[in-house]
């Protein structure tokens, strides 16, 4: 579908030194944004690595305790923690890959690796939810004896470990990748709370159905967050317009820049979890207007909408011999460094 945006007024103003000051400030903001984004990704990677160490370490302790004591409950929970460790390892790997610079094979860099990791982890969480639901139904149809006191003890230790992991992840950057990892930990945390409640109910009343019923409630809560994560990461992978931006509003904002007669072939997409890109064709009155119009458009897109990778192509009518009108397109791909 093609959209075209036209200016409501074509009043112009002269280029002044004040415009140069604005442009210099714009360059500083964009440069600062790049440094902040790199620092945020590094902090996110450190948080994910620490959470991985905590989760994997506790899984090994539980597995050893299960073998030593012969407790199937401990071994089962250790297996669950190991699967979460795999998810966190994937998140750490993708966070490291996303920090690689642009190359001749990946001209935009590897920023979308985090989004890919978030999407895979979201799919993995769907599998966990299905497993919980199937197991819960089986337990309802064929109840098994449960050691309520043992369940409470294991769940209390697991709750402490998951609270620590959740706190560590919350200190990092809130990218899609770290959100996916936090979703796994929050699922474990809710599972620990449900296990504590179920263990208490079983211990004091002997009602074993409390365990599968609370498990299903936790799975439904996780499903809501998982669906939102999958939808958002898929939007990025399909190069959709970022959810926080209004496509038509951005188009009208460009068309309102003094000197712009119309805007067409406008495209907005997400390059990575933190960066938004835009390309468009702008019709201007004359070639002499373009430098000032370009600077104004860059300030508008970066300052008002947070778009920092901008490619704009100017077009203007050119009088030809014989009275015909020819269009000349000059490509400009500029972003202040």
């Amino acid at each position: 579908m093609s959209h075209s945006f036209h200016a409501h007024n074509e009043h112009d103003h002269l280029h002044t030194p004040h415009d140069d000051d604005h442009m210099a400030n714009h360059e500083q903001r964009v440069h600062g944004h790049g440094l902040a984004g790199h620092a945020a990704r590094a902090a996110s990677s450190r948080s994910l690595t620490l959470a991985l160490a905590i989760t994997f370490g506790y899984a090994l302790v539980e597995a050893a305790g299960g073998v030593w004591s012969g407790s199937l409950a401990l071994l089962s929970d250790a297996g669950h923690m190991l699967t979460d460790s795999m998810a966190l390892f994937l998140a750490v790997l993708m966070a490291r890959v996303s920090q690689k610079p642009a190359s001749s094979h990946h001209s935009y860099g590897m920023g979308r690796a985090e989004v890919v990791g978030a999407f895979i982890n979201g799919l993995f969480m769907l599998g966990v939810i299905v497993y919980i639901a199937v197991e819960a139904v089986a337990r309802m149809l064929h109840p098994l004896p449960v050691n309520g006191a043992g369940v409470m003890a294991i769940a209390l230790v697991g709750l402490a470990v998951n609270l620590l992991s959740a706190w560590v992840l919350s200190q990092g950057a809130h990218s899609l990748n770290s959100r996916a990892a936090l979703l796994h930990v929050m699922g474990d945390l809710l599972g620990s709370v449900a296990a504590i409640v179920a263990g208490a109910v079983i211990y004091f009343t002997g009602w074993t159905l409390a365990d599968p019923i609370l498990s299903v409630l936790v799975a439904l809560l996780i499903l809501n967050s998982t669906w939102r994560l999958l939808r958002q990461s898929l939007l990025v992978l399909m190069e959709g317009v970022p959810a926080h931006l209004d496509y038509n509003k951005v188009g009208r904002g460009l068309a309102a820049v003094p000197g712009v007669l119309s805007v067409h072939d406008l495209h907005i997409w997400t390059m990575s979890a933190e960066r938004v890109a835009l390309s468009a064709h702008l019709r201007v009155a004359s070639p002499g207007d373009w430098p000032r119009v370009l600077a104004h458009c860059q300030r508008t897109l970066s300052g008002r909408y947070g778009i920092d990778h901008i490619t704009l192509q100017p077009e203007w009518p050119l009088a030809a011999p014989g009275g015909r009108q020819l269009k000349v397109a000059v490509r400009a791909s500029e972003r202040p460094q």
Side-chain angles (χ1 to χ4, degrees):
M1 182 170 58
S2 178
H3 295 265
S4 182
F5 303 90
H6 299 274
H8 292 290
N9 63 77
E10 296 175 13
H11 296 292
D12 217 337
H13 64 271
L14 295 175
H15 178 75
T16 67
H18 187 59
D19 291 329
D20 292 330
D21 294 338
H22 274 302
M23 193 61 196
N25 291 335
H26 168 77
E27 291 178 357
Q28 292 173 359
R29 286 198 303 273
V30 171
H31 182 63
H33 174 80
L35 292 177
H38 179 75
R41 287 192 294 273
S44 177
S45 180
R46 288 194 297 270
S47 298
L48 288 167
T49 304
L50 183 55
L52 170 61
I54 294 170
T55 304
F56 184 66
Y58 179 67
L60 292 180
V61 171
E62 268 198 327
V67 172
W68 174 75
S69 65
S71 170
L72 183 60
L74 276 176
L75 288 173
S76 174
D77 198 50
H80 188 195
M81 297 292 282
L82 282 173
T83 59
D84 281 342
S85 297
M86 291 171 57
L88 286 169
F89 176 75
L90 175 63
V92 170
L93 179 64
M94 290 303 183
R96 297 287 175 85
V97 171
S98 70
Q99 296 180 49
K100 291 186 176 181
S103 66
S104 58
H105 294 290
H106 301 279
S107 59
Y108 278 140
M110 302 288 285
R112 282 196 182 175
E114 284 194 301
V115 182
V116 173
F119 185 74
I120 294 174
N121 268 330
L123 292 177
F124 184 75
M125 280 304 297
L126 282 182
V128 171
I129 292 168
V130 171
Y131 172 78
I132 292 174
V134 172
E135 187 67 19
V137 171
R139 288 292 183 94
M140 290 177 185
L141 295 175
H142 305 285
L144 297 175
V146 178
N147 185 331
V151 169
M152 281 192 291
I154 295 168
L156 281 170
V157 177
L159 177 63
V161 170
N162 288 317
L163 281 172
L164 179 59
S165 295
W167 179 81
V168 168
L169 288 174
S170 68
Q171 303 306 302
H174 298 287
S175 65
L176 280 176
N177 193 37
S178 62
R179 277 178 52 200
L182 184 58
L183 182 60
H184 276 275
V185 174
M186 291 303 294
D188 284 343
L189 196 152
L190 288 173
S192 297
V193 172
I196 292 171
V197 174
V201 171
I202 294 169
Y203 181 76
F204 290 108
T205 69
W207 190 48
T208 57
L209 286 180
D211 183 54
I213 290 174
L214 286 171
S215 297
V216 171
L217 290 177
V218 170
L220 290 175
L221 289 174
I222 301 172
L223 178 61
N224 183 48
S225 299
T226 301
W227 175 250
R228 288 202 305 268
L229 176 71
L230 283 172
R231 186 174 59 185
Q232 187 173 355
S233 56
L234 188 60
L235 178 70
V236 174
L237 294 175
M238 294 297 293
E239 298 193 340
V241 177
H244 68 283
L245 292 178
D246 185 324
Y247 176 87
N248 292 313
K249 187 175 181 180
V250 174
R252 290 192 295 268
L254 274 178
V257 171
V260 176
L261 304 181
S262 64
V263 178
H264 62 98
D265 289 331
L266 173 64
H267 301 281
I268 309 171
W269 69 98
T270 306
M271 293 172 57
S272 67
E274 294 87 16
R275 296 194 65 191
V276 178
L278 175 146
S279 68
H281 290 214
L282 272 59
R283 187 170 182 269
V284 296
S286 68
D289 294 339
W290 180 238
R292 177 187 48 75
V293 169
L294 175 62
H296 196 153
C297 288
Q298 288 175 323
R299 291 196 301 269
T300 298
L301 293 171
S302 177
R304 189 182 302 174
Y305 305 109
I307 302 173
D308 69 335
H309 190 94
I310 303 162
T311 303
L312 300 174
Q313 178 170 316
E315 297 176 353
W316 52 81
L318 177 66
R324 292 185 298 106
Q325 293 290 317
L326 301 179
K327 282 191 175 181
V328 176
V330 177
R331 188 162 189 81
S333 178
E334 297 186 32
R335 180 172 65 87
Q337 302 297 319

